[in-house]
Amino acid sequence: MTTTGPDTAGPDSIGTGGGTDVLDRELEQLLNEESVEDGDHDRFSHYVKKEKILQSALSGKAVRALCGKKWTPGRDPEKFPICPACKEIYEKLRSE
């Protein structure tokens, strides 16, 4: 990505002058933080607090499982095996 000089398109231009590198970096960081994961985690059912699942169903926002996976629930968890990482963390929490 390159930085451009001041905006010289005239007063009717949308830009306010200067480059957009800072905004691009902030947007990229936000997208990375909020990204919904895919891949191997999709093969498993994950442990999430019940109230978080309900909130997700109402708001459409993603939830975060014990293992750290972030996604918007939508599939029947009964059709998939339990995530080994979630299960391990859950068992440790129960034993404390």
Side-chain angles (χ1 to χ4, degrees):
M1 183 174 303
T2 60
T3 303
T4 60
D7 187 3
T8 57
D12 294 330
S13 125
I14 295 173
T16 58
T20 59
D21 281 350
V22 172
L23 292 176
D24 289 344
R25 282 193 303 269
E26 289 174 356
L27 179 58
E28 184 176 357
Q29 181 181 3
L30 179 63
L31 290 173
N32 287 336
E33 291 173 358
E34 295 298 321
S35 68
V36 176
E37 297 177 15
D38 56 0
D40 288 346
H41 286 290
D42 287 341
R43 297 183 297 155
F44 299 112
S45 294
H46 296 273
Y47 285 114
V48 177
K49 290 183 178 182
K50 288 180 185 178
E51 60 268 13
K52 296 293 184 185
I53 295 288
L54 179 59
Q55 288 174 358
S56 176
L58 296 173
S59 70
K61 292 186 177 181
V63 296
R64 187 172 306 275
L66 289 177
C67 68
K69 176 186 172 45
K70 188 172 184 179
W71 86 110
T72 304
R75 297 191 223 169
D76 181 3
E78 299 294 323
K79 294 182 179 179
F80 300 92
I82 296 172
C83 168
C86 280
K87 186 173 183 176
E88 182 180 335
I89 294 167
Y90 179 76
E91 293 299 326
K92 286 180 181 178
L93 291 173
R94 285 188 60 188
S95 67
E96 292 178 356

